[in-house]
Each structure stands twice: as C-alpha cells, then as structure tokens.
Amino acid sequence: MTSTQNGGETPSRLIDAKIRELDDWRGQTLAAIRQVILQADPEVLEEIKWRGVPVWSHAGIICTGETYQRAVKMTFAKGAALADPAGLFNASLDGNTRRAIDFHEGDIVDEAALTALIRAAVAFNTAPKK
C-alpha cells in the first residue's frame, strides 16, 4: 500500500530509487529488510519521512530503515514494548520507547525472527488502547 509524495512519486518508487542509489551491501540489506516487511504485513503502508528515510506503518509507525556508512538501522517505534525472543534488538536499548537493529556488512537477515517482530509491532499498533 502506498501514498503519493511530492512530485507524484510514490514512496515505494522512492524506496526503490534509494536502494538502487546505495548500490552496495547497504542497498541489498535494505531491500532484504523491506521484502520481509512486505511479506509479514501485506497491508503495510510505505512512506518517506525525515529527509528520505523509508518508514513502514500500520495503524502507526512499525519501523524505519535508516542507512549509514557502516550500518543499516531498523528502528522500531514501539520496540521497547515488544517481546524479542530471538534477541534481534542490538541498538537503542536504553530508551523507554524505541529499539533498533543495526545490520552491518556481512550480517544475515533472520527472516523468521524479523517476521515475528514485525507482526508483533503490527499487533501492538492495532491492539485496543487502554
């Protein structure tokens, strides 16, 4: 699911372009992460925020896909509230809200564990609020 951004480009196309621009392990990693997200939640909304950061939402932000020189960072907006039995979270562990996964060159994306984490984030976002 997508919406239209400035210039008529959809966020999905802008994310495609970002992946092509990276043209190295970071692009491959971002593409792999994105594929897992799209398969885990077919109703996910792809967006671009904060000067070009890919964002995936479903009843609120699920996660972002930030790229840096030495890492692809997947930040879960409500990660502190999610169970992480596979121990994927390895960054931003001190905060009360967010949690992140830093992927470095050569890291393998654990698709099953990441799928479970994404689905947990969607469940958290769609659960009735107290």
Side-chain angles (χ1 to χ4, degrees):
M1 191 186 289
T2 63
S3 63
T4 303
Q5 299 285 338
N6 294 341
E9 284 292 333
T10 65
S12 292
R13 287 190 179 153
L14 294 170
I15 295 169
D16 289 340
K18 183 172 190 74
I19 289 168
R20 280 191 307 273
E21 276 174 29
L22 290 167
D23 193 30
D24 61 11
W25 69 270
R26 295 171 302 158
Q28 294 168 358
T29 301
L30 185 59
I33 290 167
R34 180 189 194 196
Q35 189 63 36
V36 172
I37 294 167
L38 295 174
Q39 288 177 351
D41 181 15
E43 295 179 30
V44 73
L45 175 66
E46 293 192 301
E47 302 174 278
I48 297 288
K49 296 186 182 218
W50 312 296
R51 297 182 186 176
V53 174
V55 176
W56 291 275
S57 298
H58 185 146
I61 294 175
I62 298 169
C63 62
T64 64
E66 306 147 66
T67 53
Y68 300 98
Q69 194 66 28
R70 293 194 168 99
V72 174
K73 180 181 285 288
M74 193 178 180
T75 302
F76 283 74
K78 303 291 184 187
L82 305 177
D84 179 22
L88 293 179
F89 291 133
N90 62 9
S92 305
L93 301 175
D94 295 333
N96 293 331
T97 306
R98 291 185 297 276
R99 293 285 183 273
I101 305 167
D102 282 355
F103 293 94
H104 299 95
E105 188 169 7
D107 287 353
I108 304 291
V109 176
D110 182 338
E111 293 181 20
L114 189 54
T115 295
L117 201 53
I118 292 160
R119 289 181 177 160
V122 171
F124 181 85
N125 284 358
T126 57
K129 304 300 180 228
K130 293 179 183 179

